[in-house]
Amino acid sequence: MNISSLRNQFPALDQHIGDYPLVYLDTAATSQKPRQVLDAMAHFLTTDNANVHRAAHTLSGRATASYEAVRDKLKAFVHAGRREEIIFTHGTTEAINLVANGLKHRLNSGDVILVDSAAHHANLVPWQQLAAQTGARVEAIPLTAELRLDTAAFEAQLEAGAALVALGHVSNVLGTVNDVNTLCAMARAKGALTLVDGAQAVAHQRVDVTDIGCDFYVFSGHKMYGPDGVGVLYGRYEVLDTLTPLLTGGEMIKTVSFTGTEFGELPNRLEAGTPPIVSVIGLGAAIDFINSLDRQAVLAHEHDLMARLRAGLEAVLQIRIHSPRDAAGAAPNSGAIAFNLGDEHHQDVGILLDQQGIAVRCGHHCAMPLMSLMGVKGCCRASIGLYTSPDDIDRFLAAVKEAAELLCP
Ligand code: PMP
């Protein structure tokens, strides 16, 4: 892989923060966007801009064709069975809320919703709301001492009965990868519905929802080199078709009168109102960009970067790494590594790194329950993308060493 020509496609990477060239290690929060994506959005707005689905005029026809073509791209990208199984939302958060709200009528008092202890709040709070509204109960799926999902405990929980299982695919904090194929198969065997939060997975690995065997898979455009404002809900048709719409109004109806409304069919039934059209167009360009790369080479490149990050951080005595080491029987960590510098406040570390142009994220990362399992209020996270270079990692490590000497000599 030619990293420098790849990096040249990301204009935002080419800048200085003060005197220092930017080192962007916050891709897990949002990825930078290649020129191809920026150009596609600008082109759409300058030449094809119109609302979709509703008009006889040419511009609207072009906009609708481009918008719907992205649905087809996504169907292929995640290996869905039908294009109607792809629903555009405004992000992962909305997609999970859509599912949680839509399942309200299927859950009963006493039902159990099992949620990954490493889940992002987006994959926990909507289930808590659903539980509060239905009398169902949210139970955490425990993690092992090294912070991987505890499969034996999960099996026992399933044995006791669960209506729904909400899993992360890749942890946005630790970078650990759940074996979602196995976990979803276990859940399915016990009759539980499954939702997988793929927000941190889609940019890094091939995703095949049919192979995973989940009922729902959700992700955001902005974490996969696309724009913000758009997310995707994949739902297995038979289950998706039973969801009560979260939003009602235009676009999602068949007929409306003052005596009542008949809803339309999938996918429009779950896409009320004007969708995020230009963001969908940008997401389509992001998929084209990803598909144009040798994904095996990207995987290998990112794996090397993660190994370099880990080894470098392990060499700094004062650093406490929270992400478990790669282990036999588990997929290697992907995208992110979490650490603290001694007992120093994570924010102080972030500020010191920023002074050298290095962007990492420090905080609870929308995973407060995981923070308590880690025994911290917050931590630092370095996260990579396909444009990250070995030099980025080395500059980050040198700055971490300096911060360690300064803060805890
Ligand atoms: N789940 C995970 C694992 C995430 O990393 C994020 C974003 N940090 C979300 C959900 C929420 O995504 P969004 O803010 O795009 O809705």
Side-chain angles (χ1 to χ4, degrees):
M1 245 178 52
N2 184 338
I3 283 294
S4 68
S5 83
L6 199 56
R7 281 172 78 85
N8 284 341
Q9 298 179 49
F10 290 81
L13 293 176
D14 184 20
Q15 61 175 300
H16 280 65
I17 305 294
D19 291 337
Y20 296 91
L22 170 67
V23 171
Y24 189 74
L25 293 176
D26 198 18
T27 293
T30 200
S31 60
Q32 298 301 344
K33 328 298 175 202
R35 208 175 289 283
Q36 193 170 330
V37 167
L38 308 177
D39 288 350
M41 293 171 78
H43 177 79
F44 178 82
L45 288 174
T46 36
T47 63
D48 298 338
N49 183 49
N51 211 331
V52 292
H53 295 149
R54 272 186 289 238
H57 65 80
T58 303
L59 230 51
S60 179
R62 289 215 298 257
T64 303
S66 305
Y67 174 85
E68 289 298 333
V70 181
R71 202 186 303 278
D72 292 318
K73 278 182 194 172
L74 278 157
K75 168 186 174 277
F77 188 68
V78 298
H79 302 272
R82 304 169 59 162
R83 69 189 310 279
E84 295 83 1
E85 294 179 321
I86 302 294
I87 305 295
F88 291 116
T89 68
H90 291 85
T92 303
T93 304
E94 185 187 314
I96 299 175
N97 274 274
L98 197 159
V99 174
N101 178 78
L103 289 174
K104 219 184 287 178
H105 65 99
R106 284 181 68 147
L107 260 79
N108 298 306
S109 179
D111 279 350
V112 173
I113 303 170
L114 297 178
V115 181
D116 186 345
S117 285
H120 188 282
H121 295 164
N123 199 14
L124 169 57
V125 182
W127 305 121
Q128 290 174 330
Q129 290 300 107
L130 175 62
Q133 289 159 1
T134 57
R137 197 174 76 244
V138 169
E139 250 183 52
I141 307 167
L143 302 184
T144 62
E146 57 157 17
L147 302 175
R148 291 188 195 279
L149 190 139
D150 186 336
T151 313
F154 178 55
E155 191 163 23
Q157 287 174 309
L158 284 175
E159 208 55 57
L164 197 137
V165 174
L167 300 166
H169 195 167
V170 176
S171 159
N172 64 307
V173 180
L174 302 166
T176 42
V177 181
N178 277 333
D179 177 359
V180 287
N181 295 45
T182 301
L183 299 171
C184 288
M186 290 166 69
R188 202 168 53 243
K190 295 291 172 192
L193 291 173
T194 49
L195 177 140
V196 178
D197 174 355
Q200 295 295 341
V202 280
H204 300 290
Q205 59 175 278
R206 272 180 205 284
V207 168
D208 183 331
V209 292
T210 307
D211 197 34
I212 293 171
C214 53
D215 293 295
F216 302 104
Y217 193 95
V218 295
F219 51 101
S220 296
H222 69 98
K223 295 184 196 280
M224 51 179 288
Y225 313 109
D228 54 31
V230 59
V232 176
L233 162 63
Y234 154 81
R236 194 162 59 78
Y237 191 90
E238 292 67 30
V239 193
L240 190 67
D241 204 29
T242 67
L243 295 187
T244 311
L246 174 63
L247 297 176
T248 54
E251 292 268 343
M252 52 80 69
I253 53 87
K254 195 175 268 170
T255 60
V256 180
S257 75
F258 272 101
T259 52
T261 293
E262 195 188 344
F263 295 162
E265 294 182 351
L266 291 177
N268 302 36
R269 189 164 62 78
L270 297 176
E271 291 181 6
T274 298
I277 304 168
V278 70
S279 295
V280 167
I281 300 303
L283 176 56
I287 292 171
D288 291 342
F289 168 74
I290 292 175
N291 285 341
S292 73
L293 303 169
D294 175 346
R295 295 204 75 182
Q296 238 4 74
V298 171
L299 205 64
H301 167 63
E302 293 193 1
H303 187 260
D304 289 351
L305 293 172
M306 291 297 291
R308 198 178 188 100
L309 255 178
R310 172 119 213 159
L313 283 175
E314 281 182 354
V316 184
L317 275 181
Q318 300 93 323
I319 292 287
R320 295 188 288 142
I321 302 177
H322 301 290
S323 305
R325 280 215 173 99
D326 287 344
N333 293 355
S334 170
I337 188 162
F339 63 94
N340 281 88
L341 173 50
D343 293 325
E344 295 305 315
H345 198 283
H346 44 271
Q347 207 65 29
D348 293 341
V349 179
I351 291 167
L352 278 178
L353 296 179
D354 183 55
Q355 284 170 1
Q356 297 195 28
I358 295 159
V360 297
R361 187 143 295 243
C362 303
H364 56 62
H365 310 284
C366 297
M368 283 186 174
L370 175 61
M371 293 300 118
S372 18
L373 291 175
M374 284 157 54
V376 294
K377 287 221 155 36
C379 65
C380 301
R381 174 189 70 189
S383 61
I384 60 160
L386 48 79
Y387 41 63
T388 307
S389 67
D391 186 53
D392 284 334
I393 305 292
D394 294 347
R395 279 201 38 218
F396 160 75
L397 292 169
V400 165
K401 247 180 246 160
E402 264 183 49
E405 280 154 22
L406 186 76
L407 294 174
C408 14

